[in-house]
Amino acid sequence: MQLWHGGRLCTLAGDSGWGLIDDGALLVDGDTLRWVGPVAELPPEAAAAELIELDGALVTPGLVDCHTHLVYGGSRAHEFEQRLHGASYADIAKAGGGIRSTVAATRAASEPELLAAASKRARALMAEGVTTLEVKSGYGLDAATEARMLRVARQLQGLGLTVRTTYLAAHALPPEFADADDYIAAVCLWLPDLFEQGLVDGVDAFCEHIAFSPAQVARVFDAARRLGLPVKLHAEQLSDQGGAQLAAAHRALSCDHLEYLSPAGVQALAQAGTVAVLLPGAFYALRETQLPPIAALREAGVPIAIATDHNPGSSPTLSPLLMLNMACVLFRLTPEEALRGLTVNGARALGLADRGRLVAGQRADFCVWDGEHPRELAACFGHNPLKERVQQGLRGGA
């Protein structure tokens, strides 16, 4: 056992509040937190544990990035310039850019090439405290490349973090298909084989006027349900398509983006217990002006998560700490809401109840920071105060 001794713990133990323990300790037994509390109340078994002095450092749960597109080929930096000259996300997509551009580059990349690039990105996230990561497919849009992306995502676990894989073949219409309904049929056909290979933890889709209709997404969700797979949804990013209601009807783990979420959509998410995942990086990069309905989500009691949405086009960030700041500045979340969004609620958005808090029985995923109060993680940006990252009780360094 290890005894992490003498730190300021941000446990997030309750439904609200930081859950601060000023002179606290963590007793780690293998990959589990066996005891968490004040140093003055250490249990007898702590005497036999390996002592690790925290020297007053701040400790939080490990960060959970619940929405990324980490595996892909190519670059779309030129689209950044196009947007600066007035082109919209939809304009670029209609002209053959956007997702389709990345699909071509990803199809051309080998598995080792994709793994090398994705590993570099994952290490950047880990260096800012990420211990659990979701990775979506969706830049293959054919059976072989979707499988290759998911295999690469699985291999990222070898870096020392948990990776949840999400099948997002319903991301865009590939060039070889003229009819979206025919493509959705293929998406549903590929899923069982990928599931049997152990490559899929969940299923996602892009419900938008430039992507797929609610009826088409429902077919994908029905295919997921037959396999017992949970679903998530890219919804209400550019317009209100009623995607939130569709996701809620399928008991989705999360609904993501949500700038155009309607009052009916908010209520549907609340009733279903679906997490609202906000993506400030994409909001910023696309220079959006329509804010997600934060006040309505709060009032309805919808859990709010935040994530990097790392992707090559609309959110090419690899800084979860910057997302904490942006969630506060752009979306007016409190620092506590933002940190909960990247820990407790991020884990909930992945269906993981065993992490996100510093309480006995949870996984020993935590971060040691150079700071006095957890609000500093959101208030400051452009630097990295991480001192040490621990995943399943293993010290991974910063």
Side-chain angles (χ1 to χ4, degrees), residues 27-370:
L27 190 59
V28 177
D29 188 358
D31 63 359
T32 303
L33 293 173
R34 181 165 178 173
W35 180 88
V36 178
V39 166
E41 300 175 13
L42 281 171
E45 58 265 34
E50 174 193 357
L51 181 63
I52 302 171
E53 287 290 355
L54 288 163
D55 296 321
L58 174 68
V59 184
T60 72
L63 305 186
V64 179
D65 194 352
C66 66
H67 182 134
T68 84
H69 305 255
L70 212 66
V71 178
Y72 59 85
S75 168
R76 280 164 45 199
H78 61 286
E79 293 181 10
F80 173 72
E81 290 187 285
Q82 289 176 322
R83 288 196 298 272
L84 292 178
H85 288 291
S88 70
Y89 182 89
D91 292 336
I92 293 169
K94 290 175 182 176
I99 294 168
R100 278 195 175 190
S101 172
T102 300
V103 168
T106 303
R107 288 179 175 182
S110 68
E111 192 162 320
E113 289 170 336
L114 290 175
L115 179 60
S119 296
K120 184 177 180 180
R121 297 171 193 133
R123 288 190 182 97
L125 294 172
M126 293 167 65
E128 289 199 2
V130 171
T131 53
T132 297
L133 179 69
E134 185 253 20
V135 179
K136 303 179 190 294
S137 68
Y139 290 132
L141 310 188
D142 61 34
T145 315
E146 289 289 303
R148 185 157 71 248
M149 292 184 68
L150 292 165
R151 283 195 301 270
V152 167
R154 280 280 190 251
Q155 291 175 69
L156 295 177
Q157 294 190 129
L159 299 176
L161 77 168
T162 299
V163 177
R164 303 293 285 181
T165 57
T166 301
Y167 177 62
L168 180 58
H171 198 193
L173 186 67
E176 61 270 23
F177 279 84
D179 184 86
D181 286 323
D182 289 345
Y183 178 63
I184 289 296
V187 169
C188 296
L189 182 65
W190 301 334
L191 178 56
D193 182 56
L194 295 171
F195 175 69
E196 288 176 9
Q197 294 179 52
L199 296 176
V200 180
D201 296 318
V203 174
D204 197 350
F206 189 15
C207 186
E208 192 53 78
H209 62 87
I210 62 170
F212 300 101
S213 70
Q216 290 163 341
V217 170
R219 291 167 57 192
V220 178
F221 282 3
D222 287 341
R225 179 186 293 174
R226 288 192 290 271
L227 296 171
L229 286 167
V231 298
K232 302 163 66 79
L233 188 64
H234 285 60
E236 273 71 285
Q237 179 184 9
L238 307 174
S239 62
D240 180 12
Q241 298 289 310
Q245 292 93 314
L246 170 67
H250 286 79
R251 299 292 176 187
L253 290 175
S254 73
C255 224
D256 304 28
H257 286 290
L258 301 178
E259 283 85 347
Y260 288 83
L261 181 64
S262 69
V266 171
Q267 291 306 312
L269 296 183
Q271 292 169 10
T274 297
V275 177
V277 179
L278 307 184
L279 304 170
F283 181 90
Y284 168 81
L286 296 178
R287 297 194 294 181
E288 293 288 351
T289 57
Q290 175 85 17
L291 286 166
I294 304 298
L297 290 169
R298 282 193 188 115
E299 184 177 353
V302 177
I304 297 174
I306 65 170
T308 64
D309 185 23
H310 175 81
N311 72 77
S314 63
S315 188
T317 181
L318 287 166
S319 177
L321 294 177
L322 181 58
M323 296 305 97
L324 289 175
N325 179 267
M326 284 188 174
C328 297
V329 173
L330 300 179
F331 294 163
R332 305 298 191 267
L333 267 63
T334 67
E336 182 203 328
E337 286 175 324
L339 185 59
R340 284 183 177 273
L342 206 49
T343 53
V344 180
N345 291 334
R348 183 171 176 175
L350 297 177
L352 301 173
D354 64 345
R355 67 203 71 189
R357 293 182 170 92
L358 298 181
V359 297
Q362 291 266 290
R363 277 176 37 134
D365 289 0
F366 57 91
C367 293
V368 182
W369 307 93
D370 182 9

